[in-house]
């Protein structure tokens, strides 16, 4: 995969914004870094992967289609007037912030409009999804939570499903102990919905821990399933607990309410992906996290799709 070629990407350790500016002082330095990450010396036409490619003054030409392109084409950097130097700074700031950054703060940091900063952030978030599709095994904790309103931090015994939950969004999460987390915005907390999400990512034969919510009733047919009884004020029973996933929920909520204050259901998954990416890349270096993010640059979101 693209993002596994990290080690040759940086000539020296990059630990700060100043280091980053020195590593990528101009547009050409950014272009060369992106070309190495995207093509690694073998330029492929985004219009026809089988075509020969010619170098031109402004980039490349696809022989089969006659179309011109460059390393920005069909990536998150396409069709924006913002220089790559500012994009690189934005990505560095976003990926190295522990809790996220608001569009207002980013607009100040980069000296751009808040509208441009919001657009950049949403395109960047589109790439965070690269880390929210992992297969999980061994010991896996599963849980769901409400995002929005006063119900957000309640345990299973106090969660309502209807009608008191109002328009709160449900986020379903799974975490492998000592490993990675997956989290999805789902329509509801029914057996059908939750079981389908779990089966899609948790390997059969795994041990699964949950609370006693009815939505997990079918898990014992597929997994070694143990329940911690939050209703009875039991939170840990030996290895049986959901404390790890609940720790992730508190990070997610602190970020969403502390930094962003509010997010619509429409955009919620992008924010969830951002916090999943942060959690799953917590043990790698800042440079590798930066390149992991850039390695997914072809996952492009248009402004029209964003505001649609």
């Amino acid at each position: 995969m693209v993002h596994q070629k990290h080690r040759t990407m940086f000539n020296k350790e990059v630990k700060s914004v100043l280091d980053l500016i020195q590593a990528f002082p101009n547009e050409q330095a950014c272009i060369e870094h992106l070309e190495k990450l995207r093509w690694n010396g073998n330029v492929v036409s985004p219009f026809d992967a089988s075509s020969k490619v010619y170098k031109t003054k402004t980039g490349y030409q696809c022989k089969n289609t006659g179309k011109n392109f460059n390393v920005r084409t069909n990536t998150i950097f396409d069709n924006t007037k913002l220089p790559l130097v500012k994009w690189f700074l934005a990505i560095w700031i976003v990926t190295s912030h522990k809790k996220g950054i608001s569009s207002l703060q980013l607009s100040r940091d980069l000296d751009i409009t808040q509208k441009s900063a919001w657009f950049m952030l949403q395109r960047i978030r589109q790439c965070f999804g690269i880390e929210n599709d992992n297969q999980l095994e061994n010991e896996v904790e599963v849980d769901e939570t409400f995002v929005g309103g006063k119900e957000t931090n309640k345990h299973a015994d106090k969660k309502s499903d209807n009608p008191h939950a109002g328009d709160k969004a449900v986020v379903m999460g799974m975490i492998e102990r000592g490993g990675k987390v997956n989290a999805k915005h789902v329509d509801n907390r029914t057996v059908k919905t939750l079981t389908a999400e779990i089966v899609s990512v948790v390997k059969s034969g795994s041990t699964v821990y949950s609370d006693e919510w009815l939505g997990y009733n079918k898990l014992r047919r597929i997994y070694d399933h143990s329940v911690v009884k939050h209703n009875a004020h039991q939170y840990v029973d030996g290895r049986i607990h959901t404390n790890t996933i609940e720790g992730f929920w508190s990070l997610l909520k602190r970020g969403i309410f502390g930094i962003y204050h509010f997010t619509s259901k429409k955009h919620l998954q992008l924010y969830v992906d951002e916090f999943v990416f942060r959690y799953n890349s917590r043990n790698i270096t800042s440079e590798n996290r930066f390149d992991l993010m850039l390695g997914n640059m072809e996952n492009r979101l248009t402004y029209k799709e964003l505001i649609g």
Side-chain angles (χ1 to χ4, degrees):
M1 283 174 80
V2 185
H3 53 264
Q4 288 173 338
K5 302 185 183 99
H6 306 123
R7 285 182 199 146
T8 57
M9 290 300 158
F10 289 92
N11 298 324
K12 69 184 187 77
E13 209 174 359
V14 176
K15 285 191 165 178
S16 66
V17 167
L18 187 62
D19 290 341
L20 188 83
I21 292 166
Q22 287 171 346
F24 303 109
N26 53 46
E27 201 72 0
Q28 190 54 36
C30 297
I31 288 169
E32 285 167 15
H33 189 73
L34 286 181
E35 288 194 348
K36 198 166 184 183
L37 264 175
R38 190 176 182 184
W39 295 316
N40 202 30
N42 181 28
V43 180
V44 177
S45 164
F47 308 113
D48 181 349
S50 67
S51 176
K52 264 192 165 175
V53 169
Y54 301 120
K55 187 110 176 71
T56 66
K57 280 182 183 174
T58 55
Y60 302 94
Q61 187 178 51
C62 169
K63 183 189 176 188
N64 290 0
T65 63
K67 290 180 180 176
N68 292 314
F69 67 95
N70 57 42
V71 75
R72 282 175 171 249
T73 307
N74 286 2
T75 72
I76 60 167
F77 313 111
D78 208 354
N79 296 327
T80 85
K81 294 188 175 74
L82 292 159
L84 286 172
V85 171
K86 290 207 172 182
W87 274 105
F88 273 36
L89 272 171
I91 290 167
W92 183 268
I93 291 165
V94 172
T95 54
S96 54
H97 260 261
K98 292 275 188 291
K99 293 180 185 171
I101 184 169
S102 69
S103 55
L104 193 62
Q105 184 60 50
L106 188 67
S107 72
R108 291 193 200 109
D109 289 352
L110 297 186
D111 192 24
I112 57 177
T113 67
Q114 189 180 356
K115 186 181 173 185
S116 291
W118 183 81
F119 177 55
M120 281 178 109
L121 282 171
Q122 293 298 73
R123 275 203 174 178
I124 289 167
R125 280 189 195 104
Q126 200 57 18
C127 300
F128 284 130
I130 196 174
E131 266 303 314
N132 202 2
D133 194 22
N134 298 290
Q135 289 294 300
L136 309 178
E137 58 187 338
N138 304 314
E139 291 182 295
V140 178
E141 296 174 28
V142 302
D143 192 28
E144 14 53 75
T145 193
F146 287 114
V147 176
K150 294 173 183 168
E151 296 224 330
T152 47
N153 296 314
K154 290 185 179 177
H155 271 295
D157 55 320
K158 306 207 179 67
K159 288 177 186 170
S160 62
D161 210 22
N162 229 356
H164 310 294
D167 63 350
K168 295 174 183 67
V170 182
V171 180
M172 158 77 198
M174 296 156 272
I175 196 163
E176 182 178 323
R177 288 198 185 154
K180 296 189 171 185
V181 66
N182 284 353
K184 295 271 169 65
H185 173 205
V186 291
D187 293 335
N188 54 56
R189 305 160 66 216
T190 62
V191 170
K192 188 179 176 186
T193 298
L194 299 184
T195 307
E197 287 295 332
I198 294 164
V199 169
S200 71
V201 297
V202 180
K203 293 182 181 174
S204 61
S206 302
T207 299
V208 174
Y209 303 118
S210 74
D211 62 24
E212 68 275 51
W213 172 244
L214 303 173
Y216 302 119
N217 279 359
K218 285 194 176 172
L219 294 184
R220 66 174 63 88
R221 298 179 189 176
I222 312 159
Y223 303 102
D224 175 8
H225 178 214
S226 298
V227 171
V228 62
K229 293 175 178 161
H230 289 164
N231 279 339
H233 303 289
Q234 177 198 60
Y235 298 105
V236 180
D237 179 9
R239 296 196 67 76
I240 307 166
H241 63 79
T242 55
N243 294 350
T244 325
I245 188 70
E246 283 168 23
F248 175 72
W249 292 146
S250 64
L251 289 173
L252 174 75
K253 287 168 183 173
R254 269 208 304 275
I256 286 180
F257 299 114
I259 306 292
Y260 305 120
H261 308 305
F262 169 80
T263 175
S264 66
K265 279 187 182 179
K266 183 186 164 192
H267 296 308
L268 177 60
Q269 188 61 52
L270 291 176
Y271 290 90
V272 171
D273 286 345
E274 177 182 344
F275 286 92
V276 166
F277 180 94
R278 275 210 179 81
Y279 185 90
N280 288 349
S281 63
R282 67 197 182 282
N283 295 325
I284 64 175
T285 65
S286 299
E287 301 103 298
N288 283 0
R289 196 180 300 111
F290 177 78
D291 277 348
L292 176 62
M293 165 80 215
L294 283 179
N296 201 30
M297 68 183 117
E298 289 176 60
N299 193 347
R300 188 167 70 89
L301 185 69
T302 68
Y303 194 70
K304 264 186 184 162
E305 282 168 356
L306 203 56
I307 59 173

